[in-house]
Each structure stands twice: as structure tokens, then as C-alpha cells.
Amino acid sequence: MIDLDKLKNTFASKYGAVPRIFRAPGRINLIGEHTDYNEGFVLPAAIDFATWVAGAARNDRHIRVASLNFERELQFDLDEPPMQGETTWARYAQGVALILERQGFRLRGADLLIDSDVPVGSGLSSSAALEMSTAFALSSLSGHNVEGMTLARIGQSAEHEFAGVRSGIMDQFVSVHGQPNHALLLDCRSLEWSPIPVSHVQFIICNTKAKHDLAESEYNKRRSECEEAARFFGRNSLRDVTIDEFEARSAEMSEISRMRARHVITENIRVLAAVAALRSGDLPTLGKLINESHESLRRDFEVSSVELDLMADLARRQKNVLGSRMMGGGFGGCTINLIEPGNHREFIEKMTENYHHETGIVPDIYECEIGQGVSEL
């Protein structure tokens, strides 16, 4: 929980001004993993964990960024070339500032102080929350009203250029457009989207505490492998390959291309089936689809880990759990667990005990509310 009084008072003491307060949330993804950069379907939701930015405009073109979470600070001038060097949390702020300028949104200088309760490296998209909160703060302090999808694309570009991760649009999109009690079905090709009610569903997030770093993982490699599989079918994207076409020609493919394509094609089918299950209130079917998603990510996309597999398995052993899968880019981070409403206390106690018994690690377990997208307090 963020202490907003502390954030405001620290800002006033550090910069000598009264700040405006902005926020952008992290996210969960109910289903639809590694489909966004394949122009497929995803079903994310914004959560009540968020990154908060206290900010005040300056009369020059100088940006100062500090954080209550990290010691390192960043200062840069908007009229000078971007600094080169290691990627740090503060470079995301510089990235969105420079890309806002590139898109024609001339910025004033600003002082920013950041605080966040989105767990870093957990698969809850702390990077998108940072990108969207700082982009929204900088644009608002300069008097710009940037359209939501444009803001999301600016954050995605910062992820590509300043973090080196060729991510899709999902994380930034839902951080901007999130709605309370709704997941968002997004077509990552057309960018058409619709809210799907989830107030009747209970999800709990379990953090394995295993390292999760997309830039150091094989995330970009997976994207290249998907592009190669699409070329096999003569298509620009696996989105355009039907399951019948895949099954007819899969024997001709290399093993890697076949596995990657099978995951993406079947995951798109699962997303649409999950939406139908949510709309009809068929939670057992939703749980089955969630379990199938994990097995596909483990077997065909090879982005799970020992810890994620263990966490999903431990969850499924509980009688009140309908489905469990890894969430996010993979190689660590969190599982998302669909449980029968009203059974969260027993679930949390057993998961904590059993995971600690198996690994010696006490997991972090989050009861997330489905919340609002980017906003000013």
C-alpha cells in the first residue's frame, strides 16, 4: 500500500513544490500468453497494485526523476541526445519522455518522484506501470491530452528501445484502459477491445520469487521463432494460420517451429473460449482452459520453470482450485489461480505451507482487485 502523504511530503521537501499525483496500474493476464506480438487475442485486467508519480512542471527543459523504491536518480535535458549506458528503472522515464517528443508532444521540464507497490520481476508488468504513469504525468504536466492507445504505443516503444524487449502492446494497453471488475478482450491486430465482466470470478496470484527478467531471457528469441513459423505458412503472423492448416502441414515443419506455432494458434482459440465461458458463468470450463494454457506454455513454448510448474501443480491439488497457470513472459514470476469464490483463506494458507515445504521459500501471495487504468488523483 502506497503512503501518498509520504510521497507528497517527500516531493515537497526534495523539490520545493506542491505536486500533482498520477498513477498507472500493473496487470494480470487471465489467458493469452505470447499471443500479443503474434497479432492475436489477450484477456488482461488492470489490478489495484500501481506505480504512483508525484510531479511538478519546471520552467526549463530539464527532467529530474527519483524514486522511493530505488536509490539511483536520473537527470537529463530534453534538448540533448539520450544518455547511453546500462538499463535502469529511470531509463524507462527517459524513454517515454523522448518518444513523446518524437511523436510531436513537446514537453516542459519536470520534477518527478515515483513510488510503486507493483512487485518487480513478478510478471505483473511493473515496467508498463512505470512507463504509463511517467508518460501520463509528463504529458499532463505539459498540457497534453494524449489518446489512450497512442499513450500505450509510446510505452511499448520505450520497452523496445530502452529495455531491449520486443514486447507486444498488451501490458501498456491494459495499464491505460483498465476498468474495475472487468477484464479486457483485446484483438492485438485491429486493437479493437471490449470489457468482459469478471466480478463473479476470484483470482489469486502466487509469486514463486524466482527471477523474472525478460531482457535476459529468451523472450526475443521466442518472437523470432514465431515469425519464422509464420513464414513457413507464407503469412505475416501466426494469427492468420488456422488450426486445420497447422495440423495439415505441421509434419513438414521443424520441431521448434511446430511447437511455437501450436502454442500460439491454440492459445488464441483458448482466449476466445475463455471469454465465452466467462460470459456464460462456466467457471469449470474456464479453469480447464487455464490449465491447458500452462501446459502449452510449458511443453510447446518452453517458457515455464521448475518453480512455476511446482506452483501450478500445488494449486491444482487443492479441491477448490479450478485452474492454475504461469503468467507473463515466463522463466519465473507468478501463477494466476482461479478458485471457487469464498475459499481464498484456505488456499493461501495451504499454498504458503506447501510451497515453503517443497522449496524452502515463503511465496508472496496477492489478492488483487480488478482496478482502473491510468489516472490523475
Side-chain angles (χ1 to χ4, degrees):
M1 181 67 70
I2 298 299
D3 185 339
L4 290 180
D5 287 335
K6 178 182 178 182
L7 180 62
K8 294 175 185 177
N9 292 337
T10 304
F11 183 95
S13 176
K14 184 177 183 65
Y15 296 122
V18 177
R20 293 164 64 181
I21 304 295
F22 309 89
R23 57 166 291 284
R27 64 100 186 94
I28 57 174
N29 187 25
L30 279 58
I31 196 167
E33 221 65 79
H34 289 275
T35 50
D36 58 347
Y37 57 79
N38 286 291
E39 299 185 347
F41 300 100
V42 292
L43 191 62
I47 56 176
D48 54 348
F49 293 179
T51 296
W52 296 76
V53 178
R58 297 167 55 92
N59 292 322
D60 55 18
R61 296 262 292 162
H62 197 69
I63 303 287
R64 296 189 294 182
V65 187
S67 170
L68 296 181
N69 307 105
F70 303 99
E71 293 183 359
R72 184 170 298 185
E73 300 184 11
L74 177 68
Q75 299 186 36
F76 62 95
D77 194 301
L78 290 164
D79 294 318
E80 296 179 356
M83 294 181 298
Q84 303 298 317
E86 63 178 314
T87 300
T88 69
W89 68 270
R91 294 294 300 281
Y92 287 100
Q94 184 182 30
V96 295
L98 296 177
I99 294 168
L100 276 164
E101 289 256 314
R102 187 188 304 166
Q103 295 293 322
F105 301 102
R106 185 170 175 82
L107 300 179
R108 298 176 61 183
D111 293 326
L112 305 179
L113 181 63
I114 297 169
D115 198 5
S116 180
D117 60 2
V118 184
V120 175
S122 64
L124 298 179
S125 200
S126 58
S127 61
L130 176 59
E131 290 156 1
M132 293 298 87
S133 58
T134 53
F136 186 62
L138 289 168
S139 58
S140 298
L141 290 169
S142 297
H144 299 298
N145 183 17
V146 183
E147 186 272 332
M149 200 62 78
T150 299
L151 196 69
R153 286 189 178 279
I154 286 168
Q156 181 190 24
S157 294
E159 191 85 27
H160 289 184
E161 294 185 33
F162 289 82
V165 179
R166 298 172 63 207
S167 61
I169 194 72
M170 176 180 69
D171 295 349
Q172 293 82 8
F173 157 80
V174 72
S175 188
V176 171
H177 290 96
Q179 296 184 8
N181 301 315
H182 289 79
L184 305 182
L185 172 63
L186 173 66
D187 180 334
C188 295
R189 167 173 288 169
S190 68
L191 299 183
E192 295 177 350
W193 60 279
S194 57
I196 309 297
V198 293
S199 58
H200 60 299
V201 183
Q202 185 164 21
F203 290 102
I204 293 181
I205 310 304
C206 295
N207 190 346
T208 64
K209 292 188 175 179
K211 185 178 181 182
H212 168 90
D213 190 333
L214 296 182
E216 295 179 4
S217 73
E218 295 192 344
Y219 185 100
N220 292 340
K221 182 179 178 183
R222 291 298 183 279
R223 180 164 182 161
S224 296
E225 290 167 346
C226 290
E227 292 167 352
E228 181 178 346
R231 285 193 295 271
F232 171 85
F233 291 99
R235 307 295 169 78
N236 292 326
S237 169
L238 287 172
R239 161 70 178 273
D240 295 317
V241 182
T242 67
I243 188 64
D244 289 341
E245 184 178 7
F246 169 77
E247 290 176 349
R249 298 194 60 195
S250 62
E252 306 168 34
M253 305 175 74
S254 69
E255 182 178 6
I256 291 296
S257 290
R258 180 170 59 250
M259 292 164 61
R260 305 303 186 245
R262 181 165 52 210
H263 167 72
V264 173
I265 294 166
T266 59
E267 187 80 345
N268 279 323
I269 294 170
R270 282 187 287 269
V271 173
L272 298 180
V275 170
L278 279 166
R279 285 174 168 159
S280 66
D282 185 357
L283 298 188
T285 293
L286 177 61
K288 178 175 179 289
L289 293 164
I290 287 171
N291 288 337
E292 289 175 355
S293 175
H294 180 86
E295 292 310 306
S296 181
L297 288 160
R298 179 187 65 81
R299 180 192 65 244
D300 283 338
F301 223 66
E302 298 181 298
V303 291
S304 190
S305 67
V306 172
E307 296 87 356
L308 286 167
D309 291 343
L310 173 64
M311 190 72 87
D313 182 58
L314 291 174
R316 292 173 193 167
R317 294 179 195 175
Q318 295 199 39
K319 62 180 180 180
N320 296 316
V321 174
L322 300 173
S324 178
R325 73 173 190 88
M326 59 151 284
M327 183 178 64
F331 309 103
C334 293
T335 60
I336 181 169
N337 304 273
L338 173 64
I339 69 172
E340 294 179 350
N343 293 284
H344 62 288
R345 292 299 174 199
E346 180 181 2
F347 173 82
I348 291 171
E349 290 173 3
K350 286 186 176 180
M351 286 300 293
T352 301
E353 177 184 352
N354 294 340
Y355 188 76
H356 179 255
H357 175 75
E358 293 287 341
T359 66
I361 299 170
V362 178
D364 289 333
I365 299 182
Y366 316 120
E367 298 179 69
C368 298
E369 298 292 331
I370 306 301
Q372 183 69 40
V374 68
S375 62
E376 181 174 2
L377 188 66

